[in-house]
Amino acid sequence: PTPFISMLRVRPLFIPEQTKNPYIAVEVIDKQTVIFRHEINQGLKSITKDKLYMCTKVIPPVGKTNQILSKGILDLVNDSFKGFSQSVFIIGGKFSGKTHTFLGNINDPGLAFQISRALYQQKQKIFINSKIFVSFFGFENGFRDLLAFTGHYLEHVSTQNGCYLPGLAQIQCNEYHDFLCGLKCALKNDGKRDINRSPFTSFFKEFLGGKGKSYVIGNCSPFIYDLEYSMRTVRQIQWSFKSTCNPQQNFWQGNVQESFKSNFYKTIQFFKPQQ
């Protein structure tokens, strides 16, 4: 069994938050530990106060997105080319910094760009003959194809080999520029996602203690009035820190192109729920 790679990113206080209440409720102790220091209870259990929470890595408020995976990006990319399913979960409450971690900005690119850039760099250096196929989908009351949305939702199918979405569009992106064009189109058609719906969690069940390798990245706010959301996120991160999965290598059988069309073979999955 392989442990989950669980990380926690604590964002800095925004200027309006500093004006309203400069007290920091989430304090980074070291590279693996955070602690809650709240002065008001807000109806929460008192045992949470001054309790240490651990994970694989903690990114402090002054940290950059490239510190989240750092050298681990190459391991993630190389394992994907070798046939291991990879999943990157980005979780957190409202205004916790999920979008910044996922997309970032010019000075601090998000994981979507860092991982995809590393993917194409390794393809040019080592895996020259490999082909990259990309799909984008969203979830709001049902699965929506973000590349070719027809107004109808996709029905997910569960089998012994995993879950897949028949009819989900896949485009071949052998150049980084092609991937960026697909991502731009998907973000334009993006919608809210609800992680509490059973079809969505069912689709990702193989990454939650199943056959895939999972990276769980929590984003939390140190603002005192976001304390409840931050506590939920940190508890989920600590749960993943103590959990394990059993990654298994995917082997091709039959027609490779048909396997891509059926979406049985999943490499890097990005998952950013909205609260």
Side-chain angles (χ1 to χ4, degrees), residues 229-248:
Y229 290 118
S230 298
M231 284 183 173
R232 292 177 182 176
T233 301
V234 172
R235 286 169 178 167
Q236 290 174 348
I237 291 297
Q238 183 165 261
W239 166 82
S240 63
F241 178 65
K242 298 179 180 179
S243 303
T244 60
C245 55
N246 186 25
Q248 298 181 13

Side-chain angles (χ1 to χ4, degrees), residues 8 10 27-28 31 46 67 72 76 88-89 116-117 162 166-167 169-171 177-178 191 204 216 230 235 268:
L8 182 68
V10 182
E27 181 182 343
V28 177
K31 295 181 179 180
S46 59
Q67 295 179 236
L76 186 154
V88 180
F89 290 82
S116 58
R117 184 169 56 229
Q170 290 184 320
I171 56 175
H177 174 75
D178 298 333
F204 285 94
V216 185
S230 298
R235 286 169 178 167
I268 301 176

Side-chain angles (χ1 to χ4, degrees), residues 170-181:
Q170 290 184 320
I171 56 175
Q172 185 172 343
C173 299
N174 289 327
E175 299 293 336
Y176 187 46
H177 174 75
D178 298 333
F179 168 80
L180 294 179
C181 291

Side-chain angles (χ1 to χ4, degrees), residues 33-99:
T33 312
V34 297
I35 190 172
F36 287 103
R37 300 191 186 278
H38 52 92
E39 295 177 333
I40 55 178
N41 189 17
Q42 291 188 343
L44 300 169
K45 294 182 179 179
S46 59
I47 59 174
T48 306
K49 183 178 180 180
D50 297 331
K51 181 179 179 181
L52 296 175
Y53 290 86
M54 295 189 65
C55 60
T56 307
K57 181 190 291 186
V58 175
I59 310 301
V62 295
K64 297 290 186 179
T65 305
N66 58 10
Q67 295 179 236
I68 296 177
L69 292 179
S70 58
K71 296 181 180 179
I73 289 183
L74 287 180
D75 294 334
L76 186 154
V77 169
N78 289 332
D79 286 345
S80 298
F81 277 116
K82 294 175 183 178
F84 289 96
S85 297
Q86 310 281 326
S87 180
V88 180
F89 290 82
I90 303 176
I91 65 174
K94 294 181 179 179
F95 311 114
S96 61
K98 299 187 300 295
T99 301

